[in-house]
Each structure stands twice: as C-alpha cells, then as structure tokens.
Amino acid sequence: MDDLTHANYGLSAAPEAHPAEEVDNSLPRAVLRPGAHFLLDGTWRFAIDPDDVGLAQDWALGQEYDYTAQWPGSIEEHMAQAHTAVGPAWQDRIVAWYEREFTLPEVAEAQSRSLFQLTFGACGYETRVWLNGHLLQTIEGEEIHFGEYTSFSYELPEEHLHLVNRLTVRIADTMDAETTRGKQESHVYKRGGIWYQTYTGAVRSVWLETVERNRLRSRVGVVSVIEDHLVRFNLTMRIHDPAQYTVRLQVFELDSPADVTQPGVVPLASSDFPLYLTEGQHEQRLVVEVPGAEVWCPENPHRYRLVAQLIDATGYTAQIEARFGLRKVEARGRKIYLNNEPVYLDGILYQPGTATYAEMQRHMHAMKALGCNLVRVHIAGIDPRIYNLADELGLLLWVEVPSPHSSTPRSRENHHAELLRMLTLMETHPSIIIWSLYNEDWGAQDIATNPETRAYIVDTYHFMQLAHPQFLVIDNDGWHHISYHGRLKSDILTAHLYTPDLGRWRELLDRLIGGEMQGTAAFPLVVGDPFFYRGQVPLLVSEWGGFGFSDYGGPADAEARTNSIRAFKQELRKRPIAGDVYTQATNIEDERNGLIGFHSGELDVPEGLLHSEPEQIG
C-alpha cells in the first residue's frame, strides 16, 4: 500500500487522542498538501441538548459539560457511553454539542502568507462551529453546513485566535425523510430488515493545518481521453490577494522523489498557465499532454503523480499533489468498454456500515480475492482513503448518492446538493466508473406517476453527461428506469433479480435478455415513454443472490452457498449480459448474507468464487 505518512504529510496528534484504531494517520482526502497538520481527534466534552436550548442560551460562549466523547464517533454511541436515555426525542430530532481546547501550533511559514484552516472529514447532518465563541463560516460562506458524507473547511480569522483556543461544535440531525440518509432509518423506514440504526454526528477526523492565503484547494478532478493522451484537470483556487498568478502542472511517475526540485528529477509533462485571479474562489480546467502514458485498469492500475503549484509574482509557491490514472469507460451496445476493450463487471454489493477504516481495508482486499473487479458501494459515503485503496488495487467502483426517503421538491434539492458535494471531492479517482442517482425508487417513490420526479432525474442525468463525462450514470437502479421519447436516460439497463431457484433464475434471465420490461424485476424495468429493448444499452444484473438471508430463502451454509453461486454465475455468463453484482460482501445488522467476515475480513467461501472466467466457474 502507498505510504501516505511520510514527512510531507506528517501530523501532530492531540495529546489526549486515543490510538485504539490508529492504524493509518493519513487524512481522509484524495489530495495531499505539504506541511504538518494537527489532528483534533480524541477526547471532547459532550452534551445532549434535548430541548434545543443551546443556541438561545449561548452555549458557545461557555457551558458546563457533564460527559466526554471520543471523536470521531457517532452521536448514538456517545449517548450510550454517557448513559443518556434515547427517548422519544431521538425519534424526531437530536442535537449534540462538542467542545475542546487546542493550542495554536507554531508555524514555519511567514504568517503574512498563511492562515489556519480547520477541516471536518465529515460531520452532520447539520453542523455549526464556533471559535472562542465566534460563529465561523465555511469557505463557501455557510454558517450552517448541511450534509454528513463529505469534508468541509473553515479559515480561522486571525483576530479570533489565541494561544489556547476553544472550539465548539453543534450537530443536529433528524429522522426527516427528505434528507439524504441512505439505508438508515427514518420517519418512513423504521429500523429492522434492510434499514439500519442511524449513525450520525462526528463521524470522521477533524484537523487543523496551515494553508497559504492564495492556494489551490484540495480538489482535483481528472478527465482523460486516452486516444489524445490529454489529461483534463479541474482545479479550484482560493484567492485573498487579487493578482497575476501562474499555475504550473507537472506529471511524474508515482515513484518519483518526493522533492521534485531535486537535481535530475524531470517530469513526464509540464505546463504553465498564466491567470489573473480576483479575490474569491475560482474553478478552472487545465489540459496537459502526457505522451505515451499508460492507462489505468484492474490488471495494471498504473497511476501518475500530479504536482500542481500556484505561483505568485514573487515566486512564492503553494502546492498540492494528487495521484491519478488515465482511463476511459463507455457503454456501447450490449457491452461496457474500459479503455476501448470490453470488460465484464464481476461485482459485489458493499455496505460498510460502522466498519472502521482498518476493517474496510480488509474488506477491499477480500473482495479482490473473491475475484471481483467491481465494488458497488451501496448508497453510503465512506472514508475517502478507501477510494485511494481501490485506485491502488485496481478495483472498479460504483458509487451512489445516499438517498432521501421521500419524493418532494425539498428532497430533490437535498439530493442534488449531496451529489454536487460528493462529485467535488471524488473526481480524482480512476477507480470510480459508475454513479447511480437513485436505488429502487428510494426518494423517488412516485417515479412512475410524477412527471416532476422524472424530469429532475432526466435533467440530472444530462448534467452528469455534460459535466462529468468520465462516468457512466444510472438513473434509478433495479427497476423503473426512465424512457424519454424512447431513449433510456441511463447508460446501463439494470435489474435486481432475487430467487433461490435455479430454474426460475434461468427463466428470469431469458426474459430479461429477450427485452421483457415487465415481470422480471419486482416492478417494470422502464417507465415514462415506451421503450423497446434491442440490445442498444448494456444489461447488468445489479443485485442477485442474497443467499443466507432468510427472507430470500437461500442456502445458509457456506458449501451450499458456494455451489449456488457457481451455478447462478454460470447462467449469467451464458447470456449477453454486461456484468452482475452479488449481494453482498459482509453481514450487516439484520442482513446475514455476507461472504466475508465483517471484523476479520476472512472469506467464508473459496477465493475466486465471483471471478467469471470459464475455468473459475466451470
């Protein structure tokens, strides 16, 4: 695995940070920034605000806390550890407060050129932050940050900083079905079966670091068209001092020396871009040619190292780094093509739930050992270091927007905002090839009857095609895909097919490839205008199996499951289907259909079971 903890990314841990799960101290982000950071994980003071009086009573100015909690963690576990009763209030809304002090680190940079930035790896759903009693605004200007799956940052005002500082955080969440929550319980879906215990709050690390006043933000989008050897980088610049700047992009092999200024270190490609930048935030696409570049693929996950620099008129340089790969994915006819070669997607459904980062690492290695080349991360936001690991291992990823649980104008606004937040921070990874907007109508329950719901999904699909052409996009996975004037508004036609009976399985697959849009999945496969399937888009059985989950009636013991999986997989490969996704990788709460030990990462079935080469499934 890549070393993300060398000197350029060192940290100073908070004195009270507890190291029980500190297996990797790299930060949960894809883009790397030289310099030290100060991790604020560890023991925080903690209080529940059951009557939501903390704002009115100015708790941020000073409050007695009866409990402590370990950050990162969930409000649910913190309440349990504090022996705070989970009463009816949590069935509607929960408000929690966290507070700690930190000493301002010494910095080597000239203070006039740098400032302190505070970043939350993920926190929410609704987060407010105070520094020494002063309410902060995110870099985007939000006093309240919404969302709990992606990072957000604050620049700390120098006038409010002291030698010892008090940081106060208020987190609120509800059972509101209009917010993006994936498979966590809500007012609509109660816990049990496939609906999980809520896990919200201080869920990822928080850290302090020095950054330049004028800099490239930790966001790099990568779009490659392998035929022209051009890499299109989407960069974001944060400027306090309007002036003429130069953006310098250099591409190196991944194993190049960390210090690119050393004599003899020559980039594979380099280009300068002069830009006059006004105060504020700027997004800019810049294109670099990398002659003779190798493509990234599961068999050869070759990556390069981008060093991006923002240089001012005096020569002062602000730098970030990203690892990237060149790859192209397309849906043509019945097949999916990766780098212009047809690829069959041997997939598995993955729901990490409350897994630690170390456990998720074990899961990823185990899924590759099963023979998978695709992991479908099921309607959840996860630690971004897992995307880095997928890039390294050569595992293709299918990611999904955590869904709301009701279909309303507000739920669609929340869904769109969550999609944009995720895209901003996940465009770097060559492993991510598929996005799905919805799953099984969750948050779009009226998709078959409401033109407004369909219009939103169609518009979002078109947006993704134009703004993010490096991904394949699925409108609503499993059934109820949208046809508009006979054109499918999904790059792949997907179906969820569950049966433990092999004869019934053959029948369903034959009906599916025969173009029967009704009677295969639980609901019609396509809604909207009439749609006639003639092999114009790839077919993908995006959920099947479930063997071991009693509701599906599948075999419970490992040997019987192994035999069923082999037999069912053979039937898939006999037909013109582009891929499949077995359900699922690990057990999670009430779903007992996993093939991998949740804590151990050990396989309960033979290695290579989901690999579909003939010698593996024959």
Side-chain angles (χ1 to χ4, degrees), residues 14 38-42 44 71 100-102 118 167 206-208:
F38 182 72
L39 201 64
L40 298 182
D41 291 353
W44 289 58
W71 190 311
R100 64 158 292 164
E101 279 77 36
F102 68 90
L118 177 72
L167 195 63
V206 56
W207 63 92
L208 185 70

Side-chain angles (χ1 to χ4, degrees), residues 539-551:
L539 278 174
L540 198 149
V541 180
S542 52
E543 288 188 27
W544 69 277
F547 302 143
F549 189 34
S550 59
D551 286 4

Side-chain angles (χ1 to χ4, degrees), residues 416-437:
H416 190 69
E418 196 71 72
L419 170 66
L420 295 182
R421 285 190 291 264
M422 294 175 74
L423 283 165
T424 296
L425 296 166
M426 293 166 61
E427 280 191 298
T428 313
H429 305 284
S431 57
I432 299 176
I433 63 165
I434 299 174
W435 283 75
S436 53
L437 304 178

Side-chain angles (χ1 to χ4, degrees), residues 187-471:
H187 286 149
V188 174
Y189 301 116
K190 301 302 182 184
R191 189 198 178 286
I194 64 170
W195 305 106
Y196 306 145
Q197 166 72 42
T198 55
Y199 185 87
T200 188
V203 294
R204 282 190 210 141
S205 291
V206 56
W207 63 92
L208 185 70
E209 62 187 324
T210 54
V211 297
E212 295 84 358
R213 285 170 50 83
N214 308 298
R215 63 191 182 280
L216 295 160
R217 294 201 66 189
S218 299
R219 303 172 174 185
V220 176
V222 180
V223 182
S224 57
V225 179
I226 61 175
E227 290 85 356
D228 60 15
H229 304 290
L230 297 178
V231 188
R232 295 141 178 89
F233 295 106
N234 299 327
L235 301 175
T236 302
M237 288 148 282
R238 172 67 168 162
I239 301 298
H240 284 268
D241 306 308
Q244 184 73 35
Y245 293 88
T246 297
V247 175
R248 177 169 296 157
L249 301 184
Q250 295 177 298
V251 175
F252 299 86
E253 289 288 358
L254 193 60
D255 58 359
S256 61
D259 182 3
V260 298
T261 64
Q262 289 183 19
V265 180
V266 179
L268 301 173
S270 179
S271 194
D272 285 5
F273 304 87
L275 294 169
Y276 183 82
L277 299 173
T278 58
E279 184 178 2
Q281 185 158 290
H282 304 269
E283 296 180 5
Q284 180 70 45
R285 171 168 287 191
L286 301 172
V287 182
V288 175
E289 183 179 7
V290 186
E294 290 186 54
V295 296
W296 181 99
C297 63
E299 299 76 21
N300 178 34
H302 189 88
R303 291 179 297 157
Y304 294 95
R305 178 177 167 219
L306 170 71
V307 176
Q309 298 172 328
L310 181 70
I311 307 169
D312 68 16
T314 71
Y316 184 81
T317 299
Q319 179 174 305
I320 60 172
E321 295 186 17
R323 296 156 186 185
F324 71 95
L326 284 76
R327 66 107 181 99
K328 175 184 177 184
V329 65
E330 293 179 288
R332 283 192 248 145
R334 291 184 181 271
K335 295 182 179 180
I336 293 170
Y337 289 79
L338 183 66
N339 303 324
N340 295 322
E341 297 291 334
V343 59
Y344 185 88
L345 300 179
D346 285 312
I348 191 166
L349 191 79
Y350 179 45
Q351 303 187 86
T354 58
T356 65
Y357 173 56
E359 288 168 341
M360 286 190 284
Q361 287 179 300
R362 292 193 281 270
H363 297 164
M364 295 292 283
H365 285 279
M367 288 185 281
K368 190 171 181 68
L370 275 171
C372 298
N373 62 7
L374 172 76
V375 174
R376 180 182 170 199
V377 182
H378 194 33
I379 52 175
I382 61 173
D383 191 314
R385 291 175 292 182
I386 292 302
Y387 307 131
N388 294 337
L389 180 58
D391 293 343
E392 178 188 341
L393 293 177
L395 274 171
L396 302 169
L397 294 181
W398 169 349
V399 298
E400 306 176 84
V401 186
S403 60
H405 288 177
S406 65
S407 183
T408 66
R410 180 171 172 265
S411 80
R412 290 189 282 275
E413 289 176 6
N414 290 336
H415 178 274
H416 190 69
E418 196 71 72
L419 170 66
L420 295 182
R421 285 190 291 264
M422 294 175 74
L423 283 165
T424 296
L425 296 166
M426 293 166 61
E427 280 191 298
T428 313
H429 305 284
S431 57
I432 299 176
I433 63 165
I434 299 174
W435 283 75
S436 53
L437 304 178
Y438 287 93
N439 175 75
E440 293 186 352
D441 305 350
W442 301 340
Q445 292 91 332
D446 55 358
I447 190 172
T449 59
N450 188 347
E452 292 182 1
T453 299
R454 293 199 298 276
Y456 165 70
I457 297 174
V458 169
D459 288 346
T460 306
Y461 171 73
H462 288 158
F463 161 76
M464 291 290 289
Q465 282 190 314
L466 291 171
H468 303 280
Q470 69 270 42
F471 304 122

